[in-house]
Amino acid sequence: MIDVVITSYKEPETIGRAVEGFLKQDVKEEYNIWVVAPDKETLDVAKSYWKRVKTFVDPGKGKSYALNQILPKLAGRIFVLSDGDVFIKENSLKHLIAPFEDLRVGCVSGRPVSMDSKSNIFGYWSHLLCDAGAHGARLKRAERGEFLECSGYLWAFRNGIIKNFPLDVAEDTIVPYLFRERGYKIAYADKAEVYVKNPSDWKDWINQKIRNIKGHENLNKIAPAMPRTKSFWNEIKEGAFFAI
């Protein structure tokens, strides 16, 4: 059994596409789909799928808090996490859970793919960071057996190992680190693609980066020894050849 948890916040326009992406997956193992959101509009769309999708009311105290509330209630052997404003490619779920056949693997990251056009600067940056930066960096680190942070857009981890995790930090970073500290490997499923729409103007782009920074700033206190692999500048460096 696999539990898919899609966290969302005021995204009634996109949550349907996110849900349908998972409903169309061809996997042999049974899986449940949960939509976690604080707002009625998003939850109503999820409920329109009747028994195919279950809902959970986000208490409104942050994403990590909501996940800490719902995950202990689920019985799946694997938790798959995604967001309400993205959608996954056909067969992505199959590729994402395949690495867990190795019992030494604790977490698996999927691959974000930008949906934006390269014809403008923001779309170009999104491809630079996603395709060459994040993808290239994760691929190299996975091949070398090094620590890598997961992508919050699509990732998965084993149930029963990490009972809960700190709040006010990036969960897709701290959870892989906690698994690594317990001797598990972090894998990268580059064929598990998730399509992402990035900011298309300067204000939204800056706000996104500020949110990312806030999600990581407490890591210095909680896990000061953890390698910092997912950052704007690291991804720019990894993507340097792509820009040429």
Side-chain angles (χ1 to χ4, degrees), residues 88-205:
I88 66 173
K89 183 180 180 180
E90 182 180 357
N91 290 325
S92 282
L93 184 56
K94 177 177 69 176
H95 293 303
L96 188 70
I97 64 177
F100 289 108
E101 293 179 8
D102 182 348
L103 297 180
R104 296 171 297 174
V105 171
C107 283
V108 181
S109 177
R111 175 185 176 181
V113 176
S114 174
M115 293 190 295
D116 301 287
S117 170
K118 297 179 184 179
S119 62
N120 64 74
I121 187 62
F122 298 102
Y124 182 81
W125 281 347
S126 72
H127 284 275
L128 174 66
L129 297 177
C130 285
D131 301 343
H135 168 58
R138 286 193 179 98
L139 197 59
K140 291 177 183 177
R141 293 188 180 101
E143 290 173 348
R144 295 194 294 252
E146 298 175 353
F147 173 74
L148 59 93
E149 299 177 47
C150 292
S151 167
Y153 294 122
L154 180 64
W155 64 299
F157 62 93
R158 291 187 185 277
N159 187 7
I161 310 299
I162 307 300
K163 301 300 182 181
N164 54 61
F165 46 90
L167 306 180
D168 299 323
V169 295
E171 65 283 339
D172 52 346
T173 296
I174 192 63
V175 171
Y177 174 74
L178 295 174
F179 269 95
R180 182 80 171 189
E181 288 293 285
R182 286 162 174 76
Y184 286 89
K185 297 193 298 184
I186 315 302
Y188 177 45
D190 61 308
K191 293 182 179 179
E193 297 183 358
V194 55
Y195 295 106
V196 180
K197 182 72 173 68
N198 294 278
S200 56
D201 60 63
W202 181 252
K203 180 180 178 181
D204 289 343
W205 191 84

Side-chain angles (χ1 to χ4, degrees), residues 44-93:
D44 283 347
V45 174
K47 290 175 182 177
S48 70
Y49 290 90
W50 296 88
K51 297 181 180 180
R52 304 174 75 186
V53 177
K54 302 177 182 180
T55 58
F56 182 84
V57 179
D58 182 340
K61 297 182 179 180
K63 183 177 179 179
S64 291
Y65 185 91
L67 290 174
N68 271 300
Q69 291 295 302
I70 186 174
L71 294 183
K73 304 177 186 296
L74 308 182
R77 71 178 184 93
I78 301 293
F79 296 145
V80 174
L81 279 65
S82 189
D83 290 339
D85 58 348
V86 302
F87 66 98
I88 66 173
K89 183 180 180 180
E90 182 180 357
N91 290 325
S92 282
L93 184 56

